[in-house]
Amino acid sequence: MTNARPEAVPYADGRLLDVHRPTAATATGPAPVVLLWHGSGPDERDVLHTLAQEAAGLGLLVLVPDWRSDREDGGRADLLASLAFARRNAAAYGGDPERFVLAGWSLGGREAVAVATHPDTPAELRPTAAVGIASAYGRPAATTGDVPLDHLATDPSPVPILLVLGTTDEVVPAELTHQLRAVVPTAELLELPTDHAGVVMTAYSPAAQRCLPATDPATLAAGRRTAAVLARAAGIR
């Protein structure tokens, strides 16, 4: 993992997105792209910094936007604008548009799977794979207006789905991810011995009331496996 500072760029109306470029040691041409959405906390792209850097160290171009679930539209405009920006500009940052993963953690994971698999998502926006990290899929997504479990129960997923959960997660219990796996048995599932924050290489701080970078070796080891799932979704083995 590298601690390089990402480039922050505006993606719409001054909203910022971090560009985590693949490390020089792994960059051998256009890199697979991961657009990674954070959870429900407003404008918390920094929470995913460690995971994004870990994934960049595996050869991925990782784009992490701020977005706000507390907006009247539930964050729909922010999320879709970041997706359109990433699809339109990934190549300019050295990314390969033909290998484009849409991923998210917690609430962001539900939104990522919803957009990636919904039958009405335009072809030019649809990713080549989706990754849901410690997410629940039984409530309506702001981006699509419907429940991912519902449309996946009737329409096969048009893209591969990969799922990650923490076995000690008390925020989004494991059974909520298992519900999606029951509907889409082809979805790849990784269960990690950590909690809701640990799956993304963080630890929740009650004092800060947000997730901060983890220091515990076991937590970091678990989170590195999440980064490996992102790489696998993008075709890096």
Side-chain angles (χ1 to χ4, degrees):
M1 181 182 67
T2 173
N3 291 315
R5 183 180 297 276
E7 178 185 1
V9 299
Y11 69 84
D13 299 325
R15 312 295 289 144
L16 293 178
L17 173 150
D18 281 344
V19 179
H20 298 260
R21 298 178 187 270
T23 62
T26 58
T28 57
V33 183
V34 175
L35 177 62
L36 181 60
W37 288 339
H38 65 70
S40 61
D43 293 341
E44 287 192 343
R45 74 185 194 276
D46 60 298
V47 168
L48 296 179
H49 173 88
T50 306
L51 176 63
Q53 286 287 288
E54 187 69 34
L58 298 176
L60 299 169
L61 172 69
V62 187
L63 309 176
V64 187
D66 273 339
W67 68 282
R68 298 189 68 102
S69 66
D70 58 356
R71 293 185 185 275
E72 187 175 348
D73 67 353
R76 181 180 188 273
D78 287 345
L79 292 170
L80 294 181
S82 72
L83 175 58
F85 177 91
R87 280 312 239 164
R88 187 171 60 249
N89 294 287
Y93 295 110
D96 179 358
E98 299 302 315
R99 293 181 290 170
F100 186 101
V101 175
L102 182 56
W105 169 60
S106 196
L107 182 56
R110 178 166 74 222
E111 298 296 339
V113 169
V115 171
T117 63
H118 198 277
D120 293 339
T121 296
E124 66 270 17
L125 294 181
R126 194 180 304 282
T128 53
V131 180
I133 306 167
S135 304
Y137 307 93
R139 293 184 179 179
T143 46
T144 63
D146 76 351
V147 176
L149 285 178
D150 290 350
H151 74 249
L152 285 168
T154 57
D155 297 301
S157 176
V159 300
I161 300 174
L162 294 83
L163 304 170
V164 179
L165 63 82
T167 56
T168 61
D169 191 336
E170 296 182 353
V171 178
V172 181
E175 57 264 26
L176 298 182
T177 295
H178 289 154
Q179 289 176 350
L180 182 58
R181 183 78 182 291
V183 171
V184 187
T186 57
E188 180 180 323
L189 174 62
L190 175 64
E191 302 190 46
L192 297 174
T194 188
D195 62 10
H196 193 67
V199 291
V200 291
M201 307 180 78
T202 65
Y204 182 73
S205 168
Q209 295 188 328
R210 63 191 285 118
C211 292
L212 301 177
T215 57
D216 172 62
T219 301
L220 293 174
R224 290 188 185 102
R225 296 177 66 189
T226 301
V229 169
L230 295 175
R232 190 156 58 253
I236 295 176
R237 298 291 174 180

